[in-house]
Amino acid sequence: MADPAMSVTPYWELTFDADGDPDGGRRDRLLAGVVDRGVHDLVVFSHGWNSDRSGATRLYSRFFAPFPELAPKARLGYVGVVWPSMRFSDEPIPDFPRSVAADTPPRPGLDKDTRHALLETFPGRATVIDQIARMLDQQPGDEAELEEFGRLVRMLVDVVPPGPQVLFAADTLAEGVPQDEPEIFAGSAAGVCEEFAQALAHLESPGGAAGFTVPNPWDGAHELLRQGTYYAMKRRAGTVGERGLGRMIGQLAAAAPEVRVHLVGHSFGGRLVSFALRGLPKGVRTVKSVTLLQGAFSHYAFAARLPHDARAGGVLQGQQNRVDGPLVCCHSRHDSALGTMYPLASRMAGDARGVAAFDIGRTLGAKWGAMGHDGVQAVPGTKSFKLADALKTKLPVSGCVNVDAAAVVKRGGAPAGAHSDIVHRELAQLVLAAGRIR
C-alpha cells in the first residue's frame, strides 16, 4: 500500500539540509528499498517553492498519480526530494487548498506565514526580519528608508563582500570572468524598488488599465525582498544538488547499478537536479533523463559560449552530456515570474539601465532569460517541440530538448503567472517519454 499522503508506491523521501547533507536514515532506506522492490526506473522529483514537507508531498502525490496508468508494465519507484526552501504565502499554487495557497494579503505588508518562513529559512536573523516587517508595514516616505530597506535585505540573504557577487547571472559565468555585484544589491535600492513596482503594475494591468497612477515603491520593496530571498534559495539549490543529490545518485549507482534514474525539477528544483549532474561521481551513467519544469535559472546555463560574451560560458556547460538520454526543458510564455521578474532581477549593474517593464521580454529577457520562459539557449543541436508534438513522436536520445508547454502551463495571476501550473497529465507523459519508460 502507498503512504496515505502519497498516490504511488514504492515511494521514498530524501531530505537534505542547506549544506547538502542528507538524512542518513532516509537515504539508507532508499538504497536498500530499490533493490528489495525490484525497481527498474526511479523518478526523482525536486520541488522549488515550498518550505514544508507536507506541501512538497502533496505536489509529488498529485504529479505522480498518473504514472502507474501511463506505464502499467514499468517497474517504477518514486522519490521526493525535500530541501530547506521557502515560498511567500501570497504565491498561488493552482488547485491547491487554501490551507496551502493562502489568500493573497494586501501588498506590501509581510504576512505572518511569510514572516515565519523567513525565520525558519534564515535562522539567527530574527532582528533583521522584524525590522523588514516593520518597514513594509509603515511604508515611510523618505527615500533614505528604501535604501535602509535594501541594506536589510542584503544582510538577510548574506550578500556580503569579499569578492564580486552575482545574482541569477551566476549561471552564465565561466571561472575567472570578473563581474560586478548585481544592481539589485549594489545600486540604489530606491531605484530598484521603483522599477520592481513598475513591473508589477504592468503585470497586473498589461493593457494600461491602471491609468497614470504612480506605483507604490513599497510594492517594489516587497518584491525586492522576494527576489533577494530567491537569490539565497537559488544558491542553496545548487549546493544541495551538487553536494547532496549528485553524491547520493553515485551511491545508488554503486548499490544498484541496473536502476535507471530520471530527474525532474520544478523552478529552483530544476536548478537542483541540474547541479546534481555536476556532482555525479566520475563514470556514473545511470541518469537516463532530466525534465525541467519551469526551471528558474539561466537559459544559458548549459552553453559553452555566451552570445554576448565569448569569454564566458554557462556554469553547467557540458553537463547535459552526463545524462545518458535527453535533457528536456519545458517552458511557457505564460510564466511571468520567469518572463518578467526574473530577467529584471538578473540584470547586472549598468546593463540596459532604464528599460521599461513591458520591454523586458524583448531586451533583458534575451540576455538574462530563464529556462522556464524560453528554453535552453546557445547549445548547438538543441531540438524544439510543441508539447503535443513531443508526445506524438520519439524524443531525441540525447542532448537538450526544448518543449513549449504553454498549451497546459497557462493558469495563474500576477506576479508569478503560470509558474506553478505544472500538475498536468501531459507533463507526466513527457517525463515518461524522456526516460523511454513504458
Side-chain angles (χ1 to χ4, degrees), residues 177-215:
V177 178
Q179 296 288 335
D180 295 324
E181 187 174 337
E183 183 176 342
I184 191 174
F185 292 122
S188 164
V192 170
C193 290
E194 289 173 2
E195 276 201 78
F196 276 140
Q198 291 171 7
L200 289 166
H202 173 71
L203 286 173
E204 292 173 353
S205 299
F212 298 99
T213 303
V214 177

Side-chain angles (χ1 to χ4, degrees), residues 64-140:
F64 287 147
F67 278 64
E69 180 185 348
L70 292 171
K73 296 181 181 179
R75 289 180 289 151
L76 283 165
Y78 307 87
V79 173
V81 174
V82 177
W83 59 286
S85 181
M86 71 162 285
R87 73 175 178 89
F88 278 59
S89 66
D90 61 345
E91 295 173 349
I93 304 169
D95 295 338
F96 270 50
R98 286 295 180 183
S99 60
V100 178
D103 290 326
T104 303
R107 279 200 322 263
L110 193 65
D111 64 279
K112 64 178 182 179
D113 290 336
T114 298
R115 183 181 179 279
H116 179 71
L118 287 169
L119 289 168
E120 287 193 338
T121 304
F122 301 104
R125 295 286 199 276
T127 301
V128 174
I129 293 168
D130 285 343
Q131 290 176 286
I132 286 172
R134 184 166 56 252
M135 294 186 79
L136 285 173
D137 183 56
Q138 296 175 351
Q139 302 182 43

Side-chain angles (χ1 to χ4, degrees), residues 37 118 197 346 362 427:
R37 300 294 293 268
L118 287 169
S346 300
R362 297 191 296 271
L427 298 182

